[in-house]
Amino acid sequence: MSMTNQELRKVGLKVTLPRIKILELLDRCPEQHLSAEDIYKQLLEQGEDVGLATVYRVLTQFEQVGIIERHHFENNYSVFEMRKELHHDHLVCVKCARVVEFTNPRIEQEQHDVAVEHGFTLTGHSLYLYGVCSLPACRAAADIVKTGD
Amino acid sequence: MSMTNQELRKVGLKVTLPRIKILELLDRCPEQHLSAEDIYKQLLEQGEDVGLATVYRVLTQFEQVGIIERHHFENNYSVFEMRKELHHDHLVCVKCARVVEFTNPRIEQEQHDVAVEHGFTLTGHSLYLYGVCSLPACRAAADIVKTGD
DNA sequence: CTAGTTGCAAATCATTTGCACTTGC
DNA sequence: GCAAGTGCAAATGATTTGCAACTAG
């Protein structure tokens, strides 16, 4: 809990109940990608008295100071996760919504080269691969699906 | 105009005024990435009597039959473009919103490899690079921006 | 003729904002 | 004490949907 306090103070945010709880929640499920709603519901379930608006505000602040990352998948809402030390991209199962993280330095390098080639200074990027994963249930659907280019 | 008719019939859609006009509009600006609003406004300007809802419905249908592609950039709305023969990704200027298309076979290959590695059958992917382009106006801002990982 | 389409208005849904009320420091 | 933070309700803005009128085949 004091580690959490440290982190918040370090980025100039007051240490408040909602912020502590949200940070703990994200910390506890490092492999999950939670939406604002998800976080809101879980907090309610564990008896906290927070508003959805606060969850959004806190998540936005956390993102701005770099504590967490926001991802826009192909749906229409965002998911959040603690910022990891090393950058990674996502492989998302379109059947079961499972998310696998991966790192590929060659892709990173190519991205950089492409940007330079076109006179851009990269500020960020997003790479999401969508597919059908190897779970039996999902597998069944994979056959009628053509491999993307 | 008859080519347009052909294309529509081929995918089993009735040849209606709104569909023809929207298709023509997208065809005429192959390099642009238009939002539903953009298309709606342009149609109104050129005197057509269409509803925004129809624009959305038609675009969704076109996407489903593969005539056009939908992109979700980091904003909260989508842009559409005619489906090109060869696949390409996007480089988006965060200052002026200019969009540059590019193709990189090595990235494509790596993506495929990553999917296989994790037991996924790829169905699609989205890669967007965000940065500051080389226009003088945008350039000014590039200096205070750090290069992504 | 009649199933597919359309325009309009009302409905959704994720996210944001105004505001009066707390709380951290 | 006071600025920063919060909850709630109302506002947004993109996209969707219900429905009665309309049109392509």
Side-chain angles (χ1 to χ4, degrees), chain A residues 104 106, chain B residues 108-118 122:
Chain A
N104 184 308
R106 274 164 298 193
Chain B
E108 301 291 326
Q109 182 60 51
E110 288 293 337
Q111 289 178 352
H112 179 260
D113 294 349
V114 167
V116 169
E117 221 170 273
H118 293 281
L122 269 193

Side-chain angles (χ1 to χ4, degrees), chain B:
Chain B
M1 185 180 279
S2 53
M3 273 195 61
T4 302
N5 290 10
Q6 291 295 169
E7 250 193 295
L8 288 175
R9 288 220 183 71
K10 186 170 24 174
V11 297
L13 291 174
K14 278 189 182 173
V15 181
T16 64
L17 239 280
R19 300 220 250 246
I20 295 175
K21 292 304 177 184
I22 291 175
L23 208 43
E24 283 184 358
L25 209 170
L26 285 166
D27 236 345
R28 200 166 342 115
C29 329
E31 72 295 325
Q32 283 189 57
H33 295 71
L34 304 164
S35 67
E37 273 292 326
D38 292 338
I39 293 174
Y40 174 61
K41 283 193 200 132
Q42 290 201 39
L43 288 180
L44 286 193
E45 276 173 30
Q46 71 185 58
E48 309 300 338
D49 176 34
V50 285
L52 223 202
T54 299
V55 173
Y56 274 106
R57 276 185 291 231
V58 170
L59 287 173
T60 301
Q61 294 167 326
F62 283 4
E63 186 198 6
Q64 289 172 338
V65 299
I67 296 182
I68 66 177
E69 265 179 57
R70 176 195 297 248
H71 300 291
H72 304 263
F73 289 158
E74 282 197 357
N75 323 298
N76 31 294
Y77 64 96
S78 306
V79 293
F80 302 81
E81 65 173 328
M82 292 295 286
R83 163 104 78 188
K84 307 280 176 33
E85 333 61 45
L86 34 71
H87 167 78
H88 62 266
D89 294 302
H90 299 82
L91 191 47
V92 184
C93 178
V94 297
K95 291 294 290 182
C96 68
R98 187 156 67 97
V99 178
V100 174
E101 301 177 348
F102 70 89
T103 312
N104 185 308
R106 273 164 299 193
I107 290 182
E108 301 291 326
Q109 182 60 51
E110 288 293 337
Q111 289 178 352
H112 179 260
D113 294 349
V114 167
V116 169
E117 221 170 273
H118 293 281
F120 275 63
T121 299
L122 269 193
T123 58
H125 70 261
S126 74
L127 168 58
Y128 301 116
L129 302 184
Y130 298 97
V132 181
C133 78
S134 51
L135 293 179
C138 302
R139 209 78 284 255
D143 307 320
I144 51 176
V145 139
K146 65 188 185 315
T147 302
D149 48 310

Side-chain angles (χ1 to χ4, degrees), chain A residues 12-134:
Chain A
L13 290 174
K14 278 188 182 174
V15 181
T16 65
L17 236 281
R19 299 222 251 246
I20 294 176
K21 292 303 176 183
I22 291 175
L23 208 43
E24 283 183 358
L25 210 172
L26 285 167
D27 237 343
R28 203 170 336 118
C29 331
E31 72 294 327
Q32 283 189 56
H33 295 72
L34 304 164
S35 68
E37 273 291 329
D38 291 337
I39 294 173
Y40 174 61
K41 284 193 200 132
Q42 289 201 38
L43 288 181
L44 286 193
E45 274 173 30
Q46 70 185 60
E48 309 298 338
D49 176 34
V50 285
L52 224 201
T54 300
V55 172
Y56 274 106
R57 276 185 292 232
V58 169
L59 287 173
T60 301
Q61 295 167 325
F62 283 3
E63 186 197 6
Q64 289 172 337
V65 300
I67 295 183
I68 66 178
E69 263 178 60
R70 174 194 300 245
H71 300 291
H72 304 263
F73 289 157
E74 283 198 355
N75 323 298
N76 30 294
Y77 63 95
S78 306
V79 293
F80 302 82
E81 65 173 328
M82 291 296 287
R83 162 103 81 188
K84 308 281 176 32
E85 333 60 45
L86 33 72
H87 168 77
H88 62 266
D89 293 302
H90 299 80
L91 191 47
V92 184
C93 178
V94 297
K95 293 292 292 181
C96 68
R98 187 157 65 97
V99 178
V100 175
E101 302 177 347
F102 69 88
T103 312
N104 184 308
R106 274 164 298 193
I107 290 181
E108 301 291 325
Q109 183 60 50
E110 288 293 337
Q111 288 179 351
H112 180 261
D113 293 350
V114 166
V116 169
E117 221 169 272
H118 293 280
F120 276 63
T121 299
L122 269 193
T123 58
H125 69 262
S126 74
L127 168 59
Y128 302 116
L129 301 184
Y130 298 98
V132 181
C133 77
S134 50

